[in-house]
Amino acid sequence: MMDHLQQLENLSVHILREAYANFKSLGMLWSIGKDSTVLLWLTRKAFFGHVPFPLIHIDTHYKIPEMIKYRDWLTKDWKLNMIYGVNEAAIAEKQTFPDGNVDRITCCRLLKTEALKSTIIGEGRRYRFNHKKGDYELDRNTEAFTGIIVGVRSDEEGSRSKERYFSPRDKENLWDVGDQPPEFWSQFKTDFKAGTHVRIHPLLDWTELNIWEYIERENIPTVSLYYNHGDGKRFRSLGCYPCTYPIDSESRNVGEIIIELKSGKLKNIAERSGRAQDKDDGGGLETLRRDGYM
């Protein structure tokens, strides 16, 4: 008899295979966090050790350095087809919150949402990892992605609970929350009119505890930032260093994080409480997500 984690794994693998079968140009966002890394692991399971589409990372130039180090280490170790996009104009013009020229929400919109949009449609510069050279180089392929797989969970944050497994966006990548196809009994709508961009969410049913239990069961490598290294702090959610803060925690490994979550110590603390832009968006991310935020 399957346990709950096995049931979750089976549904996610099914959605990944449905996406691969129905979208001509598919990519998967990898934020380097625990959720999208579990998604990457599930993809390798779904396709027998291979990831048959590019991984996409949006590099804001303000990610915590350990995240980028981990990204490039795993790219080499697992021989991933890795590309990243960046809003080079905003960086060059210093239109960022750390430079003091815009607020946090505008900074997120420029460095994440706009960078993601231009990366998806192929109009922004994309950089692809060259495994022979061991470095990134300008990607000459400018084909647009018609489907993007994303590792969001319904329980992580309010606006994400409104998503579907297959969520359409319009030509501008805008999300109409009130106009989404119903999904009953694992019957997914995967055919959309031309010009529609679709976000695919195989992890919607997973909880934060499920993610950590699966990481423990599968022994999935994760960023060291998630663990307390002696100062009584650890990151529960990862992002840009000017706007992301660690929580108080004594958890030094995956097992201790699971015990911490089961104890209820964090039950009244939002998972993204350390992400300052959420508070500036009125406590959620819906404003950013309607505009195309990941």
Side-chain angles (χ1 to χ4, degrees):
M1 183 175 179
M2 289 190 295
D3 63 19
H4 186 55
L5 285 182
Q6 187 64 53
Q7 292 174 358
L8 290 171
E9 179 189 83
N10 284 357
L11 177 59
S12 298
V13 166
H14 175 60
I15 293 168
L16 285 163
R17 289 173 174 167
E18 282 288 293
Y20 185 62
N22 287 282
F23 292 90
K24 176 177 176 289
S25 180
L26 194 62
M28 188 167 82
L29 284 185
W30 185 30
S31 70
I32 312 171
K34 62 188 186 302
D35 302 323
S36 59
T37 301
V38 163
L39 187 59
L40 173 57
W41 185 270
L42 288 165
T43 303
R44 296 173 84 224
K45 277 202 165 186
F47 301 102
F48 307 102
H50 175 58
V51 180
F53 34 73
L55 292 179
I56 303 163
H57 180 237
I58 300 303
D59 192 342
T60 64
H61 284 204
Y62 289 102
K63 294 297 182 185
I64 302 172
E66 286 91 335
M67 296 171 66
I68 301 300
K69 184 177 180 181
Y70 169 82
R71 179 195 71 184
D72 293 342
W73 167 72
L74 209 58
T75 294
K76 295 175 185 175
D77 197 60
W78 288 2
K79 297 179 172 51
L80 301 171
N81 182 5
M82 182 73 207
I83 69 174
Y84 75 81
V86 57
N87 188 339
E88 294 177 327
I91 297 291
E93 296 166 4
K94 299 187 181 302
Q95 292 299 305
T96 73
F97 172 75
D99 285 309
N101 295 325
V102 299
D103 60 25
R104 285 192 174 94
I105 297 299
T106 303
C107 186
C108 272
R109 180 176 60 77
L110 292 172
L111 299 189
K112 295 180 179 177
T113 305
E114 295 303 323
L116 177 61
K117 286 181 181 178
S118 63
T119 299
I120 289 173
I121 62 179
E123 291 184 354
R125 286 191 174 191
R126 301 193 292 217
Y127 296 88
R128 189 181 298 265
F129 191 82
N130 184 324
H131 283 273
K132 290 183 179 177
K133 296 180 179 178
D135 203 357
Y136 291 88
E137 61 185 15
L138 186 63
D139 187 10
R140 303 296 179 185
N141 181 359
T142 58
E143 181 183 10
F145 291 103
T146 54
I148 295 289
I149 304 168
V150 189
V152 305
R153 306 184 339 260
S154 293
D155 78 323
E156 183 183 359
E157 181 271 329
S159 68
R160 292 175 175 174
S161 65
K162 302 174 184 177
E163 289 280 11
R164 301 289 190 268
Y165 296 114
F166 292 85
S167 295
R169 264 64 170 171
D170 69 11
K171 291 181 180 179
E172 302 299 323
N173 268 282
L174 301 180
W175 179 36
D176 186 347
V177 180
D179 183 21
Q180 300 189 90
E183 293 177 327
F184 298 123
W185 302 290
S186 299
Q187 300 299 307
F188 308 125
K189 177 176 172 55
T190 56
D191 58 323
F192 297 92
K193 64 182 180 181
T196 303
H197 166 70
V198 179
R199 304 282 178 91
I200 300 122
H201 304 111
L203 297 185
L204 281 185
D205 297 327
W206 294 62
T207 66
E208 182 184 12
L209 178 59
N210 295 150
I211 291 290
W212 282 113
E213 289 176 330
Y214 192 73
I215 287 170
E216 181 182 56
R217 193 179 79 172
E218 301 286 315
N219 195 26
I220 301 172
T222 48
V223 186
S224 62
L225 295 163
Y226 282 121
Y227 312 108
N228 166 36
H229 295 282
D231 61 354
K233 302 278 186 181
R234 72 173 183 89
F235 286 90
R236 191 178 178 191
S237 180
L238 301 180
C240 296
Y241 58 81
C243 300
T244 307
Y245 309 105
I247 63 169
D248 294 330
S249 171
E250 297 299 328
S251 297
R252 295 164 297 179
N253 52 52
V254 177
E256 291 180 3
I257 289 176
I258 291 171
I259 292 171
E260 183 178 51
L261 290 171
K262 286 184 173 179
S263 75
K265 176 185 174 184
L266 303 177
K267 67 179 181 181
N268 294 321
I269 303 172
E271 184 176 345
R272 291 174 61 96
S273 60
R275 306 286 284 271
Q277 72 270 31
D278 288 24
K279 298 180 179 66
D280 288 2
D281 194 27
L285 278 177
E286 190 153 324
T287 304
L288 284 166
R289 289 180 57 74
R290 282 174 182 265
D291 288 337
Y293 186 84
M294 57 200 74

